[in-house]
Amino acid sequence: MRESVAPFMSFFNGPFDELNRQPDVANFAVGNPQEMPLPAYVAALRDATEAKDKDWFAYKLSEASSQRTVAATLTARTGMEWDPDDVAMTNGGFAATAVTLRTLVEPGDEVIFLSPPWFFYEMLILAAGGEPVRVRLEPPAFDLQLERIADAIGPRTRAVMLNSPHNPSGRVYPGADLRALADALTDASARIGHPIWIISDEPYSRILFDGRRFDSPSQVYPHTVITYSYGKTLLAPGQRIGYLTVPPTLPERGQIRDEIVMQQFATGYAFPNAFLQHALADLERLSIDVSVLERRRDRLVPALRELGYEASMPEGTFYTMARSPIADDVAFTDLLARHRVLVLPGSIVEVPGWFRISLTASDEMVEDGIPRFAAALSEARR
Ligand SMILES: Cc1ncc(COP(=O)(O)O)c(C=O)c1O
């Protein structure tokens, strides 16, 4: 097994599996729903299963209607005239990232990713024949480290992977950071003689707190591929739909379209199911209630701080990071599990000594969880 996914597998095959099924556990482990889905979501899917023509369930690539839906959203958000032909629909953000890497990376190319990363970046870079190059973001701020990124660039750098709003820290990188990154990559691209791409992983772009705005590097850097999943905004990650796309400012966008489709086939038919695409125009308008997540954050983070935990205040996503009161975060998350609180050890996402809390837990789990966090902390201190 690859070293980078071994801690992930041992966590999910360990006590998580059993505890995850128990209703009295305060479950903050992963971004999974702990409550029933949005009724409008279920209604949209139900409607889309009613076949309206003979091709309803025929093989689907990127349906023109899906591409138009996505392009209209991106045009409205960025003010740039997005071309529907530049949208490739995928079965989730996972596949969007895999296909993007396979499209851009030649064997031996280096791909810079920021740590803490989403669990699978390193594995997906390796699977595409690339060499992962890790650049660290430091807790508790997890600021973008532009100098470190610039220092990591070499003649074989093909892409930099960026994820904002950032899992696991909840940071939303401001437009000024993105412009500075774009300038640094423009200079470096000229120096090494080929464009360095930004792979901008944006599944949390609509989960923003405190009235924050989301800026995408695609607005300032043409060589950007956006990867997106609907699994977060709809909190239905088992229904796999997402996309990858390039901005209308990219000069050679027509040239990579066929390669993207070829790589979708090569990735094992990385297209979304027919009925999810039929439902997409409806799904695009739906979202979980972000104000509920924000209220939950505002209840839980101050409560943890009051108890004596160091906890971050996320700007977006549904994650918060907290420092383990003992150096061994795995031992502390095991202790929390004995108190019937399930969280993700930071070691799994390359932040040892911390743990990640998912705000997708229900309000009841938050209320039940707070005294249990208190009890575990007292026990750890003893
Ligand atoms: C940063 C990031 N990228 C991509 C994904 C993949 O999303 P999906 O499972 O919906 O494909 C996730 C899911 O956790 C994520 O957090």
Side-chain angles (χ1 to χ4, degrees):
M1 194 193 301
R2 290 206 194 281
E3 220 177 281
S4 62
V5 285
F8 176 87
M9 296 299 284
S10 58
F11 175 74
F12 287 101
N13 292 334
F16 169 83
D17 188 45
E18 176 57 28
L19 287 167
N20 191 40
R21 278 180 267 136
Q22 297 181 10
D24 68 323
V25 167
N27 194 338
F28 302 95
V30 292
N32 249 335
Q34 301 296 343
E35 293 166 299
M36 290 300 278
L38 294 170
Y41 179 76
V42 179
L45 293 195
R46 193 178 287 129
D47 187 47
T49 57
E50 283 291 327
K52 307 206 175 35
D53 59 51
K54 73 170 178 48
D55 293 326
W56 203 251
F57 297 127
Y59 276 112
K60 298 292 174 199
L61 306 182
S62 295
E63 286 284 273
S65 57
S66 307
Q67 294 172 303
R68 281 196 304 272
T69 296
V70 172
T73 297
L74 292 171
T75 299
R77 194 184 80 196
T78 63
M80 295 193 279
E81 229 9 83
W82 222 275
D83 186 342
D85 286 341
D86 289 326
V87 177
M89 299 305 302
T90 62
N91 45 345
F94 220 119
T97 304
V99 170
T100 301
L101 286 163
R102 294 176 72 128
T103 302
L104 302 181
V105 171
E106 302 288 338
D109 280 355
E110 291 177 355
V111 178
I112 295 172
F113 71 101
L114 308 181
S115 170
W118 177 54
F119 313 107
F120 302 104
Y121 289 151
E122 190 174 11
M123 191 169 63
L124 292 172
I125 296 166
L126 288 166
E131 300 273 337
V133 175
R134 177 182 278 97
V135 169
R136 296 221 173 266
L137 309 174
E138 301 296 340
F142 299 96
D143 285 332
L144 210 56
Q145 304 279 346
L146 283 171
E147 273 179 30
R148 287 187 193 175
I149 295 173
D151 288 349
I153 293 172
R156 293 188 302 155
T157 304
R158 180 65 59 189
V160 175
M161 301 185 76
L162 183 76
N163 164 225
S164 176
H166 179 236
N167 171 9
S169 72
R171 279 303 309 273
V172 180
Y173 294 110
D177 278 9
L178 304 179
R179 275 191 297 280
L181 177 64
D183 290 346
L185 295 186
T186 304
D187 289 350
S189 300
R191 201 170 59 242
I192 66 175
H194 65 251
I196 300 171
W197 293 80
I198 296 180
I199 301 173
S200 182
D201 194 19
E202 306 182 357
Y204 301 96
S205 58
R206 304 186 214 196
I207 305 181
L208 302 164
F209 304 141
D210 310 313
R212 257 189 194 74
R213 203 181 74 175
F214 171 70
D215 290 303
S216 165
S218 61
Q219 292 162 272
V220 288
Y221 193 71
H223 280 88
T224 298
V225 181
I226 295 174
T227 54
Y228 185 76
S229 165
Y230 286 88
K232 312 300 172 189
T233 304
L234 301 172
L235 200 45
Q239 294 291 342
R240 315 283 307 151
I241 187 161
Y243 59 80
L244 64 106
T245 187
V246 293
T249 46
L250 177 69
E252 63 268 39
R253 61 202 169 89
Q255 291 152 32
I256 59 169
R257 276 179 204 156
D258 287 352
E259 182 61 22
I260 290 171
V261 178
M262 291 313 295
Q263 292 303 342
Q264 289 182 273
F265 286 121
T267 308
Y269 211 82
F271 303 95
N273 281 336
F275 87 98
L276 282 169
Q277 296 203 64
H278 296 313
L280 192 68
D282 289 337
L283 301 187
E284 184 68 44
R285 287 192 287 269
L286 296 176
S287 170
I288 50 166
D289 190 340
V290 176
S291 69
V292 168
L293 284 180
E294 188 172 329
R295 269 207 311 278
R296 214 170 273 155
R297 175 200 70 165
D298 291 343
R299 168 75 180 117
L300 186 60
V301 174
L304 289 175
R305 288 176 173 174
E306 182 85 0
L307 293 175
Y309 284 94
E310 178 181 349
S312 69
M313 186 58 89
E315 300 167 334
T317 74
F318 27 65
Y319 308 112
T320 294
M321 294 296 287
R323 196 192 287 273
S324 167
I326 51 174
D328 183 344
D329 55 285
V330 176
F332 186 66
T333 54
D334 284 348
L335 173 60
L336 279 172
R338 289 198 292 281
H339 286 270
R340 309 196 74 66
V341 173
L342 208 47
V343 297
L344 190 83
S347 301
I348 295 183
V349 286
E350 305 183 3
V351 205
W354 290 72
F355 58 91
R356 191 192 72 174
I357 295 169
S358 176
L359 298 169
T360 52
S362 65
D363 290 336
E364 195 185 342
M365 288 175 177
V366 170
E367 293 311 323
D368 290 348
I370 290 168
R372 300 179 196 177
F373 275 111
L377 183 62
S378 322
E379 195 177 326
R381 281 178 174 160
R382 280 202 301 276

